[in-house]
Amino acid sequence: MPLETIAVCAGGGPTNALWLTKPLTRAHDGGDHTGVALRYFTPDEANEALDEVRPLTEELVENRRALVELQEQQAVLTARITGDGGDLEPRELQEVQERLEEAVAGIARSVARIHEAGGLVKDLDEGLVDFPARREDEDVLLCWRLGEDEVGFWHGLEEGFSGRRPLPF
């Protein structure tokens, strides 16, 4: 399954979910946030959620890196096949394909579990996760990136990562 077709569920279970099929890579530049979950986090609650979200995000980024490497291997093997087959073992491509499927499944599992915890995955390469919040009467997103010790930034729904501002509000 291509990465672009990973469905992301936000807003609860499948019966009241909004399914997005938009790629999750480099998508954190503002734009459509209709999938924002109904639960709102305080900065303290978002930081508590990191106990669960951090290891899932580490796994997510690891699987994403593996996926990129495997896609490159697959392209090299496919080029060899379209050439003359050059000493290609029939199972080489099959093994790469199976590992690709495992990486995609790992990404999908991590994204689903992060969403179950209330986070919104914004970038697979960077490990960018937002948490819905309220600032006065405005919906905003608390913003965290893998490698940061805590959720220390926020931005509006349309501003994205480049519009991050430090907490407190």
Side-chain angles (χ1 to χ4, degrees):
M1 159 185 359
L3 184 60
E4 291 77 19
T5 61
I6 293 175
V8 178
C9 174
T15 57
N16 64 350
L18 176 62
W19 292 91
L20 306 175
T21 56
K22 186 176 179 181
L24 295 174
T25 305
R26 290 181 276 296
H28 194 71
D29 55 358
D32 185 11
H33 291 281
T34 54
V36 172
L38 297 177
R39 176 179 179 196
Y40 293 111
F41 287 80
T42 66
D44 287 340
E45 290 170 336
N47 281 311
E48 288 174 18
L50 287 183
D51 290 340
E52 181 179 357
V53 169
R54 182 179 282 114
L56 293 170
T57 305
E58 290 169 350
E59 184 179 308
L60 172 73
V61 169
E62 182 180 314
N63 277 310
R64 170 63 179 155
R65 287 183 184 139
L67 178 65
V68 170
E69 289 176 20
L70 289 164
Q71 287 173 326
E72 290 170 1
Q73 289 177 18
Q74 183 183 43
V76 167
L77 292 173
T78 302
R80 282 177 47 197
I81 290 171
T82 57
D84 63 4
D87 293 332
L88 183 66
E89 291 290 322
R91 64 191 146 101
E92 271 185 86
L93 186 59
Q94 180 181 351
E95 288 172 2
V96 168
Q97 182 62 37
E98 288 170 2
R99 289 173 38 214
L100 263 167
E101 291 171 7
E102 289 170 13
V104 169
I107 290 168
R109 271 192 311 273
S110 295
V111 168
R113 290 183 61 201
I114 290 168
H115 283 217
E116 287 170 12
L120 302 170
V121 175
K122 295 298 180 166
D123 189 290
L124 300 173
D125 295 316
E126 295 288 324
L128 212 51
V129 178
D130 284 346
F131 298 90
R134 297 281 293 167
R135 179 180 174 258
E136 298 171 8
D137 291 334
E138 176 187 14
D139 285 347
V140 297
L141 296 168
L142 302 175
C143 186
W144 174 77
R145 178 171 47 183
L146 186 62
E148 295 176 342
D149 292 333
E150 64 180 11
V151 177
F153 299 91
W154 70 278
H155 58 79
L157 298 181
E158 301 303 319
E159 295 164 335
F161 184 82
S162 62
R164 290 195 337 163
R165 291 174 237 162
L167 288 169
F169 294 123

